[in-house]
């Protein structure tokens, strides 16, 4: 995950490794690993979300059907459209998220309680507000890159009834430049409103994750930092599944707004009304099955990688503690 130069730097200067730095490196690496592994399912989910269902011809049907169609028409490469902007977005996204999240916990939560995995009402509230603050920070910083990702994932999907026909972007820089010139801030920050509402996702996921970790630590009679990979995977998968199901409608609205380029909040009501006309409540859960198949392992990979990488980096700082 890390190149030799980075490992050499960390080993040469272990005392300079701050907790925030460890969180940032671990978060960025974990996000990149997960995004690469589940990219095909992310493409499928986005096309199911953005496809119009009002006409007679519905091109993409279900997870397997969409995978088959994409491979047949675009090859395996089609399953990885949008991966580059995803990786570019994920690095600052997770760096900001984990740094702010852990920083807020450090400010609001006694260190001893965190290390022992103690669970209380106040602890859950701290986790919730920390997750919300971190989520809002990442939305404000990375929204333009998520707009680019969505558009690049669907720009080759001809005949799918998409709301806006796009002249293909040649890359991330080209997409950012064109959107800025052709649409301005309205395009770059399209869908930011639903994304801010989506902060509820992380405000649910991470408190559930911390709660489950605390429960597992108490039952096992050990500290949270001593939980094994299987326990971390179980906690992360469960928390992601709960949060994704509850907050999924905002993802559909956001994806439609990314394509339309109608600003942070402008047109959100119209998109919601359009989805209701297309198929009622069901329209807000198009691609939800694919999303659960994608996000559950992605969350497990991300959070497990984060925990293990983070611990490894911090062990470089405290080699004697491990011994």
């Amino acid at each position: 995950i890390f190149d030799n130069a980075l490992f050499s730097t960390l080993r040469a200067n272990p005392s300079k490794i701050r907790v925030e730095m460890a969180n940032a490196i671990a978060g960025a690496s974990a996000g990149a690993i997960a995004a690469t592994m589940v990219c095909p399912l992310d493409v499928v989910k986005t096309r199911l979300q953005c496809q119009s269902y009002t006409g007679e011809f519905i091109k993409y049907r279900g997870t397997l059907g969409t995978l088959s169609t994409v491979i047949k028409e675009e090859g395996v490469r089609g399953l990885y459209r949008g991966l580059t902007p995803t990786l570019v977005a994920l690095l600052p996204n997770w760096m900001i998220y984990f740094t702010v999240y852990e920083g807020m916990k450090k400010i609001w939560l006694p260190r001893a309680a965190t290390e022992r995995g103690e669970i209380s009402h106040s602890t859950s509230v701290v986790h919730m507000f920390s997750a919300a603050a971190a989520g809002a920070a990442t939305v404000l910083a990375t929204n333009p890159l998520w707009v680019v990702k969505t558009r690049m994932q669907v720009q080759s999907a001809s005949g799918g009834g998409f709301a806006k026909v796009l002249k293909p972007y040649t890359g991330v820089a080209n997409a950012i430049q064109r959107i800025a010139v052709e649409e301005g801030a309205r395009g770059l920050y399209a869908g930011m409103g639903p994304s801010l509402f989506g902060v509820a996702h992380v405000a649910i996921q991470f408190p559930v994750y911390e709660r489950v970790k605390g429960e597992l630590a108490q039952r096992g009679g050990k500290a949270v930092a001593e939980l094994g990979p299987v326990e971390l995977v179980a906690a992360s998968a469960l928390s992601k599944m709960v949060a994704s199901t509850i907050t999924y409608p905002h993802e559909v609205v956001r994806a439609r707004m990314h394509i339309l380029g109608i600003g942070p909040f402008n047109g959100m009501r119209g998109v919601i009304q359009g989805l209701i006309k297309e198929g009622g409540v069901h329209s807000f859960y198009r691609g939800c099955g694919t999303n659960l198949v994608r996000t559950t392992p992605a969350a497990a990979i991300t959070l497990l990688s984060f925990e293990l990488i983070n611990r490894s980096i911090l062990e470089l700082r405290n080699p004697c503690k491990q011994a």
Side-chain angles (χ1 to χ4, degrees), residues 14 18 20 24 55 57 65 87 96 163 222 248 274 313 317 322:
R18 300 176 58 188
E20 290 81 5
F57 175 66
L87 293 177
I96 294 169
K222 52 189 173 184
Y248 187 75
I313 295 173
R317 187 181 68 166
Q322 183 182 15

Side-chain angles (χ1 to χ4, degrees), residues 100-130:
V100 174
Y101 179 66
E102 295 294 335
M104 291 297 99
K105 284 202 304 177
K106 185 177 180 180
I107 293 172
W108 293 333
L109 195 64
R111 182 177 180 181
T114 302
E115 291 179 345
R116 292 194 301 269
E118 293 180 352
I119 302 171
S120 66
H121 176 70
S122 60
T123 300
S124 297
V125 171
V126 166
H127 288 155
M128 182 178 68
F129 279 104
S130 297

Side-chain angles (χ1 to χ4, degrees), residues 5-302:
L6 179 55
F7 262 127
S8 299
T9 301
L10 294 178
R11 291 185 184 280
N13 303 283
S15 62
K16 294 183 179 181
I17 301 174
R18 300 176 58 188
V19 173
E20 290 81 5
M21 177 184 176
N23 290 336
I25 295 172
S29 300
I33 293 169
T36 301
M37 295 184 69
V38 302
C39 187
L41 291 173
D42 195 30
V43 172
V44 170
K45 180 203 72 170
T46 301
R47 296 199 181 186
L48 288 172
Q49 288 177 336
C50 297
Q51 176 178 239
S52 174
Y53 291 81
T54 56
E56 296 182 0
F57 175 66
I58 298 177
K59 185 174 184 178
Y60 300 112
R61 297 178 182 273
T63 303
L64 294 179
T66 304
L67 282 171
S68 177
T69 300
V70 173
I71 293 174
K72 181 179 179 180
E73 296 185 351
E74 305 168 45
V76 176
R77 183 177 180 180
L79 296 175
Y80 289 87
R81 295 192 185 281
L83 179 59
T84 299
T86 298
L87 293 177
V88 173
L90 276 174
L91 295 180
N93 184 84
W94 285 111
M95 288 177 71
I96 294 169
Y97 187 88
F98 278 121
T99 301
V100 174
Y101 179 66
E102 295 294 335
M104 291 297 99
K105 284 202 304 177
K106 185 177 180 180
I107 293 172
W108 293 333
L109 195 64
R111 182 177 180 181
T114 302
E115 291 179 345
R116 292 194 301 269
E118 293 180 352
I119 302 171
S120 66
H121 176 70
S122 60
T123 300
S124 297
V125 171
V126 166
H127 288 155
M128 182 178 68
F129 279 104
S130 297
T138 59
V139 167
L140 294 172
T142 62
N143 195 82
L145 289 167
W146 295 120
V147 172
V148 171
K149 184 211 79 165
T150 301
R151 294 190 180 189
M152 292 187 75
Q153 285 185 331
V154 304
Q155 69 179 6
S156 296
S158 60
F162 291 94
K164 187 175 183 179
V165 177
L166 300 172
K167 179 182 178 182
Y169 298 120
T170 58
V172 178
N174 171 258
I176 292 288
Q177 187 270 334
R178 279 184 49 195
I179 294 173
V181 172
E182 297 170 8
E183 304 172 47
R186 179 187 177 98
L188 292 173
Y189 285 91
M192 192 174 74
S195 292
L196 289 174
F197 286 119
V199 166
H201 179 108
V202 292
I204 295 170
Q205 180 190 350
F206 274 78
V208 172
Y209 177 61
E210 298 286 357
R211 179 88 182 187
V212 174
K213 284 199 303 180
E215 291 282 1
L216 292 174
Q218 284 188 350
R219 291 185 180 185
K222 52 189 173 184
V224 171
E226 296 173 344
L227 292 174
V230 174
E231 294 165 312
L232 293 174
V233 167
S236 58
L238 177 61
S239 64
K240 187 66 174 182
M241 185 178 295
V242 171
S244 293
T245 302
I246 293 174
T247 65
Y248 187 75
H250 93 275
E251 292 195 31
V252 179
V253 176
R254 179 183 63 194
R256 296 285 181 104
M257 291 179 72
H258 282 173
I259 300 301
L260 293 169
I262 52 180
F265 297 96
N266 296 336
M268 183 164 62
R269 181 178 178 181
V271 170
I272 293 173
Q273 291 176 335
L275 285 166
I276 293 174
K277 290 180 180 178
E278 277 190 19
V281 176
H282 179 69
S283 295
F284 293 93
Y285 284 89
R286 298 196 194 282
C288 186
T290 304
N291 188 57
L292 289 178
V293 173
R294 178 189 72 89
T295 57
T296 302
I301 294 168
T302 299

